[in-house]
Amino acid sequence: MYVGTLSFDLLLGDVRSLKEKRSVVRPIVAELQRRFAVSVAEVEHMDLHRRAGIGLAVVSGDTGHLTDVLDRCERLVAGRPEVELLSVRRRLHGDDD
């Protein structure tokens, strides 16, 4: 069994309130869940208007499939015009860890 995680640090566009922030972050989280069947949530910078931290995890029996899903998730977030992707941290965990 392999577990892969991604941590996204995002800078949001013209956001002036936490309500506006939710209207940007929620659709990203929902699309990742819907398209890739991953576990995902906003996990950092909860009290900042223009920053968001999103954490994502996926479990697979095959490292190739795991890497493919993580790559596609990263491309989806990076391609969103309403956010700037500041950094991505990727971790892979296997039975040996």
Side-chain angles (χ1 to χ4, degrees):
M1 175 177 73
Y2 301 96
V3 178
T5 63
L6 291 174
S7 299
F8 298 104
D9 188 8
L10 305 174
L11 179 64
L12 307 180
D14 187 26
V15 173
R16 293 190 176 91
S17 70
L18 292 176
K19 185 175 180 179
E20 287 180 30
K21 175 185 180 177
R22 282 192 307 273
S23 73
V24 172
V25 173
R26 278 189 182 166
I28 294 170
V29 169
E31 186 172 4
L32 287 166
Q33 288 173 330
R34 182 181 55 79
R35 287 185 64 186
F36 303 112
V38 297
S39 296
V40 59
E42 183 180 2
V43 294
E44 291 183 299
H45 311 300
M46 306 295 269
D47 57 343
L48 299 176
H49 298 346
R50 296 198 61 222
R51 292 283 297 276
I54 295 176
L56 178 146
V58 61
V59 177
S60 179
D62 175 38
T63 57
H65 173 69
L66 185 71
T67 303
D68 181 52
V69 171
L70 293 177
D71 288 344
R72 290 187 290 150
C73 289
E74 187 173 342
R75 280 194 300 272
L76 184 141
V77 174
R80 298 293 291 236
E82 67 272 21
V83 299
E84 180 181 341
L85 184 57
L86 298 177
S87 68
V88 179
R89 183 176 184 169
R90 179 183 293 221
R91 288 186 175 178
L92 299 177
H93 308 276
D95 290 332
D96 299 334
D97 293 345

